[in-house]
Amino acid sequence: MASVEAAAEHERILREIESTDTNCIGPTLRSVYDGQEHGLFMEKLDARIRNHDREIEKMCNHHFQGFVDSITELLKVRGEAQKLKSQVTETNRRLQDDGKDLTRSMEELQQCRVQQRNIATTIDKLTHCLPVLEMYGRLQEQMKAKRYYPALRTLEQLEQTCLPRAGQYRFCSIMAENIPRLRTQIRDTAMTQLRDFLESIRKHSDKIGETAMKQAQLQRSLDSSVSTQPRALIGRRCRKDAAAALGTESGGQGGIPVSEQDSGILDVEEDEEEEDEVPGAHDLVDFSPVYRCLHIYTVLGLRDVFENYYRKQRRKQARLVLQPHSNMHETLEGYRRYFNQIVGFFVVEDHVLHTTQGLVNRAYVEELWELALSKIVAALRTHSSYCDDPDLILDLKNLIVLFADTLQGYGFPVSQLFDMLLEMREQYGEILLKRWNITFRQVLDQDNYSPIPVSTEQEYRSYTAQFPLQDPDLDKLPFPKKLPFSEFVPKVYCQLKEFIYACLKYSEDLHLSSTEVDDMIRKSTNLLLTRTLSHCLQYGIKKKNVGLAELVQVIINTTHLEQSCHFLEEFISNITNVPPDTVNATKLYGTSTFKDARHAAEAEIYTSLNAKIDQFLQLADYDWTAPVPAGGAPAASDYLVDLIAFLRSTFSVFTNLPGKVAQTACMSACKHISTCLLQLLLDPEVRYVSMGALHQLNTDVHECESFARAGPVAGFQGDTLLLAFSDLRQLLDLFTQWDWSTYLADYGKPSCKYLRVNPNTALTLLEKMKETSKKNNVFAQFRKTDRDRQKLIDTIIKQLRNLIAQHQT
């Protein structure tokens, strides 16, 4: 097919050569030389020439005679032609001589036209090449100055506009080959700078957060006029400027990005009001690598790759930041560094959120914050549980509040942090209770359990300033005088107020209402009263070295503390601005606490008094087989005389006690003496009891009754105190008077003379007397009186047993 087409084309060219004027044959011949079948064409041309030569030969043979004729005629005119030639030659010579100058001028004109055309062509080519060279030079300068985003824009313009206009030049080819490499170099350099930036902000998060928290603390401390203005976010102006610049760049064509004009964080404050602002945390970090890398990757069409990489790296950094040190709980500085790093991290993310378009979005930041919040709360719960210092807990609470307020200023929800602070409030309360437990015990250990002597008005006012003592009678007494309570009372009252202040300090800045603060303080104070102070008072009362005088002073102290409870109520109401009569307001349990302590002290007085009585009774040495004295009633036992003397001196100290306490103590002591004497009489180890021993015991009971009748403590009506000895008295009267007939006859009747004598007790004692009679009267069977007495005892024993059996059934 190709040879057929070539033959047809050659035939057409030959026809065109034959039919075309010789002046226009050039393009036709050029098409032959431009083709690939030059040799074949020459062969066809030679063949066509030979054909034409044969035709010419035929034609010449046909017209030969005419040709000869023509030659003959031509020879004739040759002479004329020679003449004409000479004339033409001469004319031509003269013309040539005359046209030399013109030819020279034409040649010069032609040369100028060529030069002009070359100059125009050169100018046109340079017009297209110079912008390329200039732009490439600018590109090199931008690369050298590390202005990569403009360099990328220059590359784009160079590739898409300038190089196609310049044409196919070698330097253009070299430039075109370098463009992908330069793009890769810019991308890699931008990524390197981003990595350096990420490493830098990881190292400087602590400082960024510290600055942000300082500024938040300064914002909180502004006066009310400033605080009513809209919240000035840290770095807000920088954020708006950067966002505006970024918006301008993205909306315009070929504008310079934020990273090349202004990084968005190093603004020069021009307004006077802004010049007074404390530098924000953003001033510590240059964010231009982020903006630059974002723009570069956006131009390269790799924005998604960049966003994913940035978010992935920041998530890794977030996990590192949220991992607390193992010894963070040991010092407040450990917590502060932890919070500073977290705040620094989220300050950076918030700044990036508001100064870039979509690099991070609100959903991503909120997801990070939710992750961080859960880890922060867990870490704080774990580490704060190790703390046993209330001051450190309070400082930590203030630090958490500042941390929460700082991040809340950036729009992060922090309600979980405040909920956790309320949880820590219970731990703080427990630690306070432990500290105040030690304090109360120290106060108790250091107290001398003696009324406070005051010799001057100044001393008196000093104590009344510490404790709300209201005693008009005491005020009228001259100096020197004594306050009824010991040092324990004003110290405890002051410590109660200190505890309330400590609780109030924790409740500050927790965004609680006055009612909630009041309720928290009251509940904590109730715990202090009912648990800590109550236990300490019990500890003070139960101490081994506490005597009756000390116990008496404890009762006086608790009485005054009980009377001061309503002053504590007023004190709490004053500092919380919540009236004490508010509905559902928690009431203090101080009154019941001090009542319980006083009752415990009273019971301890009774117990101690009885223990002292037991010590005296241990000295009792009765001769249970002694005969009946012949010279009348025997003298009272020595131990009992000493016991009565001790009781008199003891009860004289009870004058400052409430009347019922002294009366109860006195009645308890008398009952205890009566009970112990009866137990001595009925002791199983005492197998024998003689009538002489009963007379001695009867004398001792008479001594006790004389003591009771004398009224050692005021307030008893009639012979009420004697009732303590009534059981023992009736038993002794029954045996010493031997009035069994009356007892047996009237037993069970309300009017019975021996109503308090239990038949079992009488039986036990009677059996001991029977054994005594058997032991002392070996020859009793030989005396009729003794035999009769023995029979009488047996008869009474039998009747008592029948009486007991009847009542049991």
Side-chain angles (χ1 to χ4, degrees):
M1 286 297 293
S3 61
V4 173
E5 290 178 357
E9 179 65 17
H10 293 165
E11 187 65 29
R12 182 188 64 79
I13 294 173
L14 290 173
R15 284 197 302 271
E16 186 174 347
I17 291 173
E18 290 171 350
S19 61
T20 305
D21 187 5
T22 56
N23 293 329
C24 301
I25 203 171
T28 302
L29 294 178
R30 176 173 290 277
S31 63
V32 173
Y33 285 99
D34 289 341
Q36 300 295 327
E37 303 292 338
H38 177 262
L40 182 60
F41 176 78
M42 292 301 296
E43 292 176 359
K44 285 186 175 291
L45 182 60
D46 290 340
R48 181 63 62 91
I49 291 171
R50 285 193 298 271
N51 289 335
H52 282 292
D53 286 342
R54 284 193 294 270
E55 291 177 359
I56 291 171
E57 185 177 354
K58 289 179 181 180
M59 187 176 289
C60 288
N61 291 332
H62 184 269
H63 297 284
F64 181 73
Q65 185 60 42
F67 176 73
V68 171
D69 294 339
S70 296
I71 291 299
T72 302
E73 291 178 3
L74 183 61
L75 289 174
K76 290 179 181 179
V77 296
R78 184 171 59 181
E80 296 296 331
Q82 289 293 333
K83 250 187 237 186
L84 180 60
K85 179 179 178 182
S86 298
Q87 293 175 359
V88 171
T89 302
E90 183 62 25
T91 303
N92 180 59
R93 183 185 60 77
R94 289 197 303 269
L95 180 60
Q96 291 295 330
D97 292 341
D98 294 336
K100 283 182 180 179
D101 293 337
L102 179 60
T103 302
R104 191 180 303 111
S105 298
M106 290 299 293
E107 289 176 355
E108 291 177 357
L109 177 60
Q110 182 183 7
Q111 185 67 29
C112 287
R113 291 285 178 84
V114 172
Q115 289 179 354
Q116 185 179 9
R117 186 173 62 252
N118 291 339
I119 290 172
T121 303
T122 303
I123 291 174
D124 181 62
K125 296 299 183 183
L126 287 177
T127 302
H128 292 89
C129 291
L130 283 177
V132 174
L133 297 174
E134 291 174 356
M135 192 167 292
Y136 195 80
R138 184 164 67 247
L139 173 64
Q140 295 299 324
E141 292 177 357
Q142 290 169 342
M143 292 290 290
K144 186 176 181 181
K146 299 181 179 180
R147 300 177 67 239
Y148 297 112
Y149 179 75
L152 201 60
R153 287 294 191 186
T154 303
L155 271 179
E156 182 179 359
Q157 189 176 0
L158 184 66
E159 182 181 29
Q160 297 179 1
T161 305
C162 296
L163 284 177
R165 292 178 181 174
Q168 299 296 325
Y169 295 102
R170 186 179 178 187
F171 72 91
C172 293
S173 301
I174 295 173
M175 289 181 184
E177 292 173 358
N178 284 340
I179 285 176
R181 182 180 59 80
L182 290 174
R183 277 203 180 97
T184 303
Q185 180 184 350
I186 292 173
R187 184 191 64 193
D188 294 342
T189 304
M191 182 57 70
T192 301
Q193 291 183 350
L194 177 67
R195 292 193 186 99
D196 294 341
F197 167 80
L198 292 175
E199 180 66 20
S200 174
I201 59 174
R202 188 185 70 81
K203 292 180 180 178
H204 293 91
S205 289
D206 190 2
K207 188 65 176 176
I208 298 170
E210 180 183 359
T211 305
M213 291 179 72
K214 283 181 179 179
Q215 193 167 24
Q217 190 170 18
L218 179 63
Q219 183 69 23
R220 276 174 33 179
S221 64
L222 294 178
D223 58 17
S224 58
S225 62
V226 176
S227 63
T228 56
Q229 297 177 0
R231 177 178 60 85
L233 293 179
I234 302 171
R236 179 177 60 180
R237 179 182 182 276
C238 303
R239 176 189 304 162
K240 291 195 298 182
D241 290 347
L246 185 58
T248 303
E249 185 275 328
S250 61
Q253 297 294 327
I256 298 177
V258 175
S259 60
E260 303 303 329
Q261 295 181 10
D262 188 345
S263 65
I265 57 173
L266 303 176
D267 297 314
V268 178
E269 306 294 344
E270 297 177 353
D271 298 334
E272 294 181 0
E273 178 181 344
E274 292 175 341
E275 286 178 351
D276 296 334
E277 291 181 0
V278 176
H282 51 275
D283 295 313
L284 301 174
V285 178
D286 179 13
F287 285 86
S288 59
V290 178
Y291 306 139
R292 184 182 303 119
C293 200
L294 173 62
H295 292 307
I296 289 172
Y297 271 73
T298 301
V299 172
L300 293 175
L302 301 173
R303 183 185 178 99
D304 291 341
V305 175
F306 174 74
E307 289 179 1
N308 293 333
Y309 176 81
Y310 177 84
R311 295 182 183 185
K312 181 179 179 181
Q313 294 302 315
R314 289 297 281 165
R315 281 195 181 95
K316 289 181 180 179
Q317 290 186 350
R319 292 189 183 94
L320 292 176
V321 166
L322 295 170
Q323 185 66 34
H325 294 289
S326 58
N327 60 343
M328 181 178 73
H329 59 276
E330 295 178 358
T331 61
L332 184 66
E333 192 59 33
Y335 289 105
R336 182 175 284 112
R337 283 197 301 270
Y338 180 64
F339 289 140
N340 286 345
Q341 289 177 355
I342 295 173
V343 171
F345 178 88
F346 283 100
V347 164
V348 170
E349 289 306 290
D350 182 79
H351 189 82
V352 171
L353 172 67
H354 288 87
T355 55
T356 61
Q357 294 181 343
L359 176 57
V360 297
N361 52 32
R362 177 57 65 182
Y364 160 79
V365 175
E366 289 177 353
E367 177 191 352
L368 269 184
W369 174 242
E370 288 177 3
L371 169 69
L373 195 58
S374 61
K375 290 185 177 293
I376 292 167
V377 171
L380 290 178
R381 281 176 178 158
T382 301
H383 285 267
S384 63
S385 64
Y386 300 138
C387 182
D388 56 359
D389 182 3
D391 295 331
L392 179 57
I393 288 286
L394 186 61
D395 292 339
L396 175 59
K397 167 256 168 183
N398 293 329
L399 189 59
I400 294 174
V401 169
L402 179 59
F403 170 73
D405 288 347
T406 302
L407 287 174
Q408 192 174 30
Y410 286 89
F412 295 103
V414 293
S415 58
Q416 287 189 41
L417 291 174
F418 285 99
D419 293 341
M420 187 204 62
L421 285 175
L422 294 179
E423 294 176 11
M424 285 177 57
R425 170 69 184 81
E426 297 180 3
Q427 178 189 354
Y428 176 71
E430 290 296 327
I431 296 174
L432 285 182
L433 292 178
K434 291 179 182 178
R435 169 173 284 191
W436 257 258
N437 180 63
I438 297 172
T439 302
F440 286 145
R441 293 205 175 203
Q442 290 175 348
V443 171
L444 278 169
D445 293 338
Q446 296 169 3
D447 192 37
N448 57 6
Y449 295 95
S450 300
I452 302 174
V454 288
S455 55
T456 62
E457 180 73 19
Q458 184 177 359
E459 288 184 32
Y460 184 73
R461 296 302 174 196
S462 173
Y463 282 108
T464 54
Q466 297 177 40
F467 180 78
L469 176 63
Q470 293 182 343
D471 190 346
D473 296 334
L474 184 62
D475 291 340
K476 296 175 183 178
L477 293 178
F479 292 98
K481 53 187 175 183
K482 289 185 177 182
L483 302 179
F485 45 76
S486 67
E487 293 278 357
F488 172 78
V489 172
K491 287 182 179 179
V492 166
Y493 189 80
C494 290
Q495 287 300 323
L496 288 174
K497 292 170 67 175
E498 288 296 325
F499 179 85
I500 292 170
Y501 276 127
C503 294
L504 178 65
K505 286 180 182 177
Y506 191 91
S507 302
E508 293 174 348
D509 301 323
L510 293 184
H511 308 305
L512 300 174
S513 65
S514 299
T515 306
E516 290 174 319
V517 173
D518 181 83
D519 185 66
M520 289 175 61
I521 291 177
R522 289 176 181 271
K523 287 180 178 178
S524 298
T525 307
N526 278 334
L527 281 177
L528 178 71
L529 292 170
T530 57
R531 197 169 77 186
T532 305
L533 183 55
S534 177
H535 290 172
C536 289
L537 289 172
Q538 295 292 337
Y539 157 78
I541 291 169
K542 300 292 184 181
K543 283 197 303 186
K544 293 182 179 180
N545 59 344
V546 175
L548 291 172
E550 287 82 0
L551 291 172
V552 170
Q553 190 61 55
V554 169
I555 292 176
I556 296 171
N557 290 347
T558 52
T559 302
H560 282 86
L561 286 172
E562 179 184 347
Q563 295 170 356
S564 69
C565 285
H566 71 279
F567 291 102
L568 278 180
E569 294 261 9
E570 293 177 359
F571 175 72
I572 294 175
S573 298
N574 290 335
I575 64 175
T576 60
N577 296 320
V578 177
D581 55 352
T582 304
V583 179
N584 298 327
T586 304
K587 301 299 180 183
L588 292 183
Y589 301 148
T591 302
S592 60
T593 298
F594 296 124
K595 277 184 179 178
D596 294 342
R598 188 170 66 252
H599 292 158
E602 293 170 2
E604 190 66 23
I605 285 179
Y606 307 149
T607 303
S608 299
L609 194 56
N610 291 342
K612 197 67 176 178
I613 291 172
D614 290 339
Q615 292 178 7
F616 280 100
L617 290 174
Q618 288 176 2
L619 301 176
D621 188 17
Y622 288 102
D623 184 4
W624 297 109
T625 59
V628 178
S637 300
D638 293 339
Y639 85 90
L640 192 66
V641 174
D642 294 340
L643 174 58
I644 297 300
F646 164 75
L647 290 177
R648 285 195 178 96
S649 63
T650 299
F651 290 136
S652 65
V653 181
F654 286 11
T655 53
N656 293 328
L657 284 176
K660 291 183 179 180
V661 178
Q663 293 169 16
T664 304
C666 187
M667 177 61 78
S668 173
C670 291
K671 284 184 177 180
H672 188 67
I673 293 172
S674 175
T675 303
C676 290
L677 290 177
L678 183 59
Q679 289 175 353
L680 283 175
L681 190 60
L682 301 177
D683 189 355
E685 294 183 0
V686 178
R687 298 179 57 191
Y688 309 104
V689 176
S690 66
M691 190 58 72
L694 291 178
H695 281 288
Q696 180 61 53
L697 189 60
N698 189 44
T699 301
D700 291 344
V701 173
H702 276 301
E703 186 71 19
C704 293
E705 289 172 338
S706 299
F707 166 74
R709 199 175 290 110
V713 173
F716 286 109
Q717 296 180 355
D719 294 334
T720 304
L721 196 55
L722 288 175
L723 294 176
F725 299 98
S726 59
D727 292 2
L728 188 57
R729 166 51 52 210
Q730 290 184 13
L731 180 64
L732 290 175
D733 285 349
L734 175 61
F735 276 85
T736 55
Q737 296 175 13
W738 207 252
D739 195 8
W740 291 103
S741 58
T742 303
Y743 176 74
L744 293 173
D746 297 340
Y747 181 79
K749 297 179 181 179
S751 59
C752 179
K753 180 180 179 181
Y754 304 102
L755 184 63
R756 293 179 177 272
V757 177
N758 189 299
N760 290 309
T761 303
L763 178 61
T764 301
L765 186 55
L766 198 59
E767 287 177 342
K768 291 185 177 185
M769 290 186 67
K770 178 182 177 182
E771 295 295 328
T772 304
S773 298
K774 289 180 179 181
K775 177 181 178 183
N776 293 338
N777 299 298
V778 180
F779 303 100
Q781 65 274 21
F782 301 108
R783 292 195 293 271
K784 184 176 183 301
T785 55
D786 292 334
R787 289 200 305 271
D788 294 340
R789 183 177 178 83
Q790 191 70 27
K791 288 180 180 179
L792 179 59
I793 291 175
D794 291 340
T795 302
I796 293 171
I797 289 174
K798 185 176 181 180
Q799 291 176 345
L800 286 173
R801 286 175 178 167
N802 291 333
L803 185 64
I804 293 170
Q806 290 175 5
H807 279 277
Q808 286 179 347
T809 57

